[in-house]
Amino acid sequence: MRVLLSIVHIIVALFMIFIVLLQQRKQGGFSGVFGGGTQADTGQWQRFTGLTKITIVLAAVFMVTSFLLVFMN
């Protein structure tokens, strides 16, 4: 089980690297990172691109597999 989870973890990490490298740069600076959005930004999930949504899902799977690997020790 641990070997299978390790393989999944490595594959997810490689896919995440690939997807992040495919994304285009945004010229917005750090304003969005530190809460520079407006009240109109409540529907944020719909405004994300497909690659951003895939990145978020892969990051969540990566975190879950990381925790599972740590707790299996």
Side-chain angles (χ1 to χ4, degrees):
M1 181 69 179
R2 183 182 161 116
V3 173
L4 178 67
L5 193 59
S6 296
I7 292 171
V8 169
H9 186 72
I10 291 170
I11 291 171
V12 167
L14 292 174
F15 275 130
M16 194 164 56
I17 290 169
F18 180 70
I19 293 295
V20 167
L21 289 175
L22 282 177
Q23 292 182 6
Q24 293 181 354
R25 297 179 76 188
K26 294 197 166 102
Q27 301 297 328
F30 285 111
S31 64
V33 174
F34 296 113
T38 62
Q39 291 288 339
D41 290 341
T42 55
Q44 190 73 23
W45 184 254
Q46 288 80 20
R47 293 181 19 176
F48 285 148
T49 63
L51 288 176
T52 305
K53 291 177 183 178
I54 293 171
T55 304
I56 292 169
V57 170
L58 286 175
V61 171
F62 183 81
M63 288 174 48
V64 168
T65 56
S66 296
F67 284 128
L68 288 175
L69 283 170
V70 167
F71 289 130
M72 287 179 96
N73 251 348

